[in-house]
Amino acid sequence: MPTPRPSTSRSNERAWLVTGPLALLAVVCSVGLALVGPPFPGSIAKALILLVVMVAAGTQVLQFVIRRQALAFTITEIPLVLAFFYLPPLTVVVIASIAALIGQLRRRLTPTKVWFNVAKAAAAASLACLVLLALPDLNGVGPLTWLTLFLTVSTNTLVTLAAVSGVIGLLQGWQAGWEVARSAPQPLATSAVNVIIGLVVLIALETTWWSLLLIAVLAVAVVLVYRSYSLFVRQHRTLGDLYELTRAMTASGQDGTLADVLLGRVRGLMQAEYATLWLPAQGRHPEVLLTARVDDNGLLDVAPAPAAMREEASEQQRTVAVGVRLGSDGALRNSLHRTGVKDLIVVPLRSGQAVIGTLEVVNRLSDVGHFTPSDIPVFETVAAHAAVALENSRLVDRLRHDAYHDALTKLPNRRRITAALDEAVKIRAPGEVVALLLFDVDRLREVNESLGHSAGDKVLVEVAERLRSRAPSSALVGRAGGDEFLVTLRLESADAALELAAQLREQIRDEMVFDALTLDVDTAVGVAVYPDHGSDAALLLQRVDLAATAAKSVPGSVQLFNAALESRSMRRLGLAGDLRRALDDGSLEVYFQPKMTLRDRRLVGVECLARWEDPAHGTVAPEDFVAVAEHTGQLGRLTEFVLREGLRRSRDWAHGGQPLAVAVNLSARTLTDQHFPARVQELLEEYGVPPQWLTLEIKEAGVLDGTDRPIPTLRRLRDLGVRLSVDDFGTGDSSLAHLRRLPVHEVKVDRSFVQGMATDPGDLAIVNAVVTLSQQFGLAVIAEGVESELTLELLQDIGCEIGQGFLFSRPLPYERLEAWFGAQVDPETISDSELPRLRAVL
């Protein structure tokens, strides 16, 4: 039966919360047995013989360790079968309690554990005896007797397991108690086998007492076989664990988790409370001291054993072992015990003839467990594999370092900077930008040609050192290649990036002295920031390179990227003049895409898309001419053009008996124009369109930029009676909760989520959440990109009311839209209160 052995590493005083009730239960049940059971004590001789057998059976222990607790499974069920058959119930309780007490005292456990085990044995035996009395009387050794004894002993085993699970759960947490409960099938199976053996012995004894001789010989043989088998199982398990450890270390050496895997597996293999890895500082590698402790998921940066033990093992290049069964000095053992270390093994990690560190294990789990001399060869084998794995890991780390660092300056190279930028842009902090600065060293080629490449290398090394020493501590400084250096960090704004670039440039310009030669070295600096100038590392690097090239020809040699410096800069520069002419002569055109109710496919509005077909440039993408308009001061004219076209068409449709509201996309920059609300009011009055027929849409990133700058303009527009909408919702980092503080009326779900609803459960969940929460906040919801009947049905199911997309119609020029109206809509079916809506997108 199982016996708990809580570790002294935690207080065991709470065990009395289980011991007390168990003792009380045993007393109450014993009183009941004395009142209703057979007379006590029965045959004294049989009682003494069975007591001796129980004590002897308790010495044959099969141990398992669960976290900090040791569980011991014995063969005490065999004598219990005989005791329940031959002795009165109360006598069984007494001898079971005495046998438990003798066994615990022999093992020298603490009083808390001794009394728990005694109370557990008494409670289990007394409850089992009550079950025995409740069942039919034992008569002979037939099947009915077998069933009665089996149920009685099973009750004893179940009560024991419940007590063990309870005390371990109390001391170590419910997870440890649950682990004990999960391991119950094994002890229950063992108990069933023991009961069967006990019944066989009982039948033999009832047949003839001479069978005792055969049973004794059989018992000795079983004990010898069990010990041999147990040794074989331990050796086999150790070899298997070593193989798994080697595989795990080989796999983890490539991903940087070697220490976690090594220490966790070593601690489990050696059944130790602590496993510690110590690697002294070597080259660019700092000192490493990591410890895995039982019950802790992560690693600690402290070690329970004194540093002198590790230093001794490293200096003398031999294993240091201290413990009760390891033959160590008693005074040293006592001094360690006062620090909470009862035994330890420290093994040096060898790489050839050199020692690169140590591996140690401290405290065999459970109070009665100790490391033995047989553990040392196993641990030395583990250490040999660990040393190889660590050396391979360092080699891989060295190769990886060389792959991501410049050999000349030792700075991170372009690949490393790119990876760092990719990680940085994934985390967008409000009020911050990711700045990228590129320093291009001027006239380095002249230095190489006149003074040799060694002088040029010295210039590069000096520039690298000045950048590294003068850049903020949060910056990553690297060499892009050739004469270019990169600096990336988070700053408050693009203006702060420009200021830092100018400061660093001035500090680099100090004279450089090489032997008797003095050089004046200057740099041109390009600046790009996320998210203004790119959404990923590749784009930022491309654009900062363009800015650095442009910086060579501007005063101050510091240039912030702008759209005119794009790889298509020449084309866009040409577009700037053509766009101005297009706005002057009305060459821009507006296409219309209908909006429909999803339930009955009734027309409620159209979306207007600006199109530009230029004779010289061909079809110009909207993002191109909008970017040109933003950076050439023509955005206001472009916005007013679309507003006028939308309001004019809305007025015409209203006069024709089919009023349509107009929605116009606004750039975030437009919201910073304090005169814009007044201009909107003038246009509404000019075209005679009611304000509620106009909806202004702002992209999520523009209206929820982490500041309150857009809010005053939005409130003024709302006060005019204009409807406000957040466009492309879901593509930014904001949440619906942020919308509650904004004066908006509707949310438009981005087409990327709508188009993925039919195939991606994640997109479906996002759209469902947006629709549900928006409606709870009193906001209307429009789905963009409806292109299939399945998507339409899904939107209907989640309660979305309005949508638009190719399923209904592609964008159409005005003439074709009129024909589409005639084919789709009967004007008489649209009341004045049901205002169709039109959206104009730049």
Side-chain angles (χ1 to χ4, degrees):
M1 59 186 174
T3 302
R5 301 173 181 175
S7 170
T8 57
S9 60
R10 293 190 182 182
S11 173
N12 292 318
E13 296 303 320
R14 288 184 294 174
W16 289 105
L17 297 175
V18 178
T19 303
L22 287 175
L24 179 61
L25 176 64
V27 171
V28 172
C29 292
S30 297
V31 171
L33 292 173
L35 295 176
V36 301
F40 174 82
S43 174
I44 300 297
K46 291 181 179 179
L48 291 176
I49 292 173
L50 288 173
L51 174 62
V52 172
V53 175
M54 281 188 181
V55 173
T59 62
Q60 304 304 315
V61 181
L62 182 63
Q63 292 187 350
F64 299 92
V65 175
I66 297 179
R67 295 197 177 187
R68 296 173 180 265
Q69 308 301 326
L71 296 181
F73 298 98
T74 65
I75 58 174
T76 53
E77 289 85 358
I78 297 176
L80 268 178
V81 171
L82 303 178
F84 285 130
F85 185 84
Y86 287 114
L87 299 177
L90 188 57
T91 305
V92 177
V93 175
V94 172
I95 67 171
S97 302
I98 295 174
L101 178 61
I102 294 173
Q104 304 307 310
L105 293 176
R106 184 182 61 82
R107 294 161 62 193
R108 300 180 181 179
L109 296 180
T110 61
T112 302
K113 299 178 181 180
V114 169
W115 293 118
F116 166 77
N117 284 286
V118 172
K120 176 203 66 183
S126 59
L127 274 176
C129 288
L130 289 177
V131 172
L132 178 63
L133 292 178
L135 294 173
D137 294 337
L138 300 176
N139 186 12
V141 289
L144 185 59
T145 298
W146 302 349
L147 179 60
T148 300
L149 291 176
F150 183 84
L151 294 176
T152 301
V153 177
S154 297
T155 301
N156 182 89
T157 303
L158 288 173
V159 172
T160 299
L161 285 173
V164 170
S165 178
V167 75
I168 291 182
L170 181 65
L171 297 180
Q172 299 295 327
W174 69 268
Q175 297 93 338
W178 175 242
E179 287 187 33
V180 176
R182 289 176 58 189
S183 67
Q186 185 166 356
L188 288 175
T190 303
S191 174
V193 172
N194 288 338
V195 171
I196 294 173
I197 296 174
L199 290 173
V200 172
V201 172
L202 176 61
I203 294 172
L205 291 177
E206 284 295 291
T207 302
T208 173
W209 284 95
W210 287 103
S211 61
L212 278 173
L213 295 176
L214 298 177
I215 292 172
V217 173
L218 180 62
V220 172
V222 168
V223 169
L224 294 177
V225 171
Y226 166 74
R227 288 183 175 178
S228 299
Y229 175 75
S230 178
L231 177 61
F232 169 77
V233 169
R234 285 198 300 270
Q235 291 174 342
H236 179 75
R237 185 175 59 209
T238 300
L239 289 175
D241 290 344
L242 283 174
Y243 173 72
E244 291 299 327
L245 173 61
T246 303
R247 286 187 58 190
M249 288 191 299
T250 302
S252 62
Q254 309 298 322
D255 56 18
T257 61
L258 177 59
D260 302 75
V261 172
L262 170 64
L263 293 176
R265 298 239 179 185
V266 165
R267 191 204 58 71
L269 173 65
M270 301 301 295
Q271 293 189 358
E273 185 176 357
Y274 299 93
T276 299
L277 172 67
W278 174 60
L279 301 174
Q282 180 181 359
R284 66 181 183 84
H285 297 283
E287 180 183 15
V288 174
L289 181 64
L290 297 172
T291 298
R293 183 173 64 183
V294 66
D295 291 342
D296 288 342
N297 293 326
L299 298 181
L300 308 176
D301 57 358
V302 295
M309 299 290 98
R310 292 184 289 276
E311 294 171 357
E312 179 182 349
S314 177
E315 293 173 359
Q316 299 185 11
Q317 299 190 15
R318 66 175 182 86
T319 299
V320 175
V322 179
V324 174
R325 300 183 182 179
L326 297 175
S328 56
D329 179 72
L332 176 60
R333 190 166 61 247
N334 291 334
S335 65
L336 288 177
H337 190 72
R338 285 192 292 270
T339 64
V341 177
K342 68 177 181 180
D343 49 8
L344 67 84
I345 303 175
V346 185
V347 178
L349 299 173
R350 294 184 176 87
S351 176
Q353 299 299 318
V355 174
I356 62 173
T358 62
L359 188 64
E360 67 187 67
V361 287
V362 175
N363 294 349
R364 174 62 64 83
L365 288 175
S366 82
D367 288 344
V368 297
H370 296 278
F371 294 124
T372 63
S374 62
D375 291 320
I376 295 178
V378 174
F379 193 40
E380 289 177 338
T381 303
V382 172
H385 287 286
V388 174
L390 287 167
E391 277 296 280
N392 290 339
S393 177
R394 284 191 168 182
L395 175 61
V396 171
D397 180 65
R398 197 155 48 242
L399 294 174
R400 184 179 292 116
H401 178 272
D402 293 343
Y404 285 93
H405 288 77
D406 175 55
L408 176 64
T409 62
K410 311 303 180 187
L411 291 177
N413 58 17
R414 190 181 189 91
R415 181 185 299 175
R416 175 70 181 89
I417 294 290
T418 301
L421 271 176
D422 278 330
E423 292 298 321
V425 299
K426 292 178 182 178
I427 306 172
R428 183 175 182 180
E432 287 186 350
V433 298
V434 178
L436 182 62
L437 285 58
L438 190 149
F439 293 80
D440 192 323
V441 181
D442 289 341
R443 297 187 301 277
L444 181 65
R445 182 175 179 179
E446 298 175 7
V447 175
N448 288 332
E449 291 176 351
S450 58
L451 302 176
H453 285 278
S454 60
D457 290 346
K458 290 180 180 180
V459 171
L460 292 174
V461 171
E462 181 64 20
V463 171
E465 182 58 33
R466 291 186 180 184
L467 275 176
R468 181 163 39 198
S469 61
R470 291 168 172 79
S473 58
S474 60
L476 178 63
V477 181
R479 183 185 177 195
D483 55 359
E484 295 179 343
F485 294 85
L486 290 166
V487 178
T488 180
L489 73 166
R490 291 185 178 274
L491 292 171
E492 296 81 7
S493 63
D495 292 338
L498 285 172
E499 182 179 352
L500 176 63
Q503 292 175 357
L504 292 176
R505 176 176 173 273
E506 288 301 319
Q507 293 169 352
I508 293 174
R509 291 181 65 185
D510 292 343
E511 292 182 345
M512 297 183 185
V513 180
F514 304 101
D515 299 326
L517 182 64
T518 300
L519 297 177
D520 290 325
V521 178
D522 200 358
T523 57
V525 189
V527 180
V529 299
Y530 167 84
D532 296 354
H533 304 141
S535 58
D536 56 50
L539 191 56
L540 287 171
L541 286 167
Q542 173 188 342
R543 289 177 171 176
V544 78
D545 190 60
L546 289 172
T549 301
K552 297 178 180 180
S553 59
V554 301
S557 294
V558 177
Q559 174 66 55
L560 178 67
F561 173 81
N562 59 68
L565 303 177
E566 185 59 85
S567 59
R568 296 176 293 175
S569 59
M570 297 305 296
R571 181 171 184 265
R572 285 193 173 180
L573 288 175
L575 287 177
D578 293 339
L579 177 61
R580 183 177 294 106
R581 287 190 295 272
L583 290 171
D584 290 338
D585 59 23
S587 298
L588 289 179
E589 191 176 0
V590 176
Y591 278 46
F592 303 85
Q593 185 176 29
K595 292 182 181 180
M596 312 290 288
T597 59
L598 301 182
R599 289 293 177 187
D600 53 9
R601 301 197 184 191
R602 183 170 50 86
L603 176 67
V604 294
V606 290
E607 175 185 2
C608 300
L609 300 169
R611 294 290 187 263
W612 183 17
E613 191 74 21
D614 185 78
H617 301 287
T619 301
V620 183
E623 57 267 24
D624 283 345
F625 63 78
V626 169
V628 170
E630 285 184 341
H631 293 284
T632 57
Q634 301 181 74
L635 180 64
R637 291 189 64 196
L638 182 59
T639 302
E640 184 172 335
F641 166 79
V642 179
L643 267 173
R644 285 184 175 276
E645 182 69 7
L647 292 175
R648 182 171 68 88
R649 296 301 184 188
S650 179
R651 180 194 60 189
D652 295 342
W653 286 319
H655 290 167
Q658 185 178 332
L660 292 175
V662 180
V664 177
N665 259 353
L666 297 182
S667 167
R669 184 171 297 182
T670 303
L671 297 179
T672 63
D673 182 5
Q674 59 181 345
H675 302 294
F676 180 73
R679 186 56 180 156
V680 171
Q681 184 176 13
E682 293 173 2
L683 291 174
L684 289 170
E685 293 174 355
E686 177 181 345
Y687 288 95
V689 176
Q692 63 269 22
W693 289 9
L694 174 63
T695 299
L696 299 176
E697 297 184 359
I698 310 96
K699 289 186 181 294
E700 177 188 359
V703 71
L704 295 170
D705 61 355
T707 70
D708 293 331
R709 289 177 298 180
I711 293 180
T713 301
L714 292 175
R715 286 176 176 167
R716 291 177 60 192
L717 291 170
R718 180 199 59 185
D719 294 339
L720 289 177
V722 173
R723 291 178 58 84
L724 300 174
S725 175
V726 177
D727 195 13
D728 295 343
F729 188 81
T731 58
D733 299 327
S734 58
S735 67
L736 282 167
H738 296 154
L739 298 178
R740 301 182 66 182
R741 64 184 181 87
L742 298 176
V744 298
H745 303 85
E746 70 180 36
V747 172
K748 299 198 71 175
V749 185
D750 185 71
R751 68 179 64 249
S752 61
F753 299 112
V754 175
Q755 292 174 349
M757 289 175 61
T759 57
D760 190 340
D763 288 342
L764 177 60
I766 291 173
V767 176
N768 189 17
V770 172
V771 172
T772 302
L773 293 178
S774 297
Q775 292 174 348
Q776 291 178 356
F777 292 159
L779 301 175
V781 183
I782 299 177
E784 295 184 290
V786 182
E787 297 183 1
S788 69
E789 292 290 345
L790 180 56
T791 301
L792 176 64
E793 292 174 4
L794 291 173
L795 288 169
Q796 291 174 345
D797 291 341
I798 64 178
C800 185
E801 298 179 355
I802 301 175
Q804 62 187 91
F806 289 175
L807 177 64
F808 307 121
S809 174
R810 292 178 176 272
L812 304 172
Y814 176 74
E815 295 75 16
R816 292 181 59 189
L817 179 69
E818 288 293 311
W820 188 91
F821 280 171
Q824 301 291 328
V825 179
D826 180 4
E828 297 179 358
T829 64
I830 303 177
S831 66
D832 292 338
S833 61
E834 296 175 341
L835 298 179
R837 302 173 58 198
L838 168 68
R839 176 186 176 219
V841 179
L842 304 186

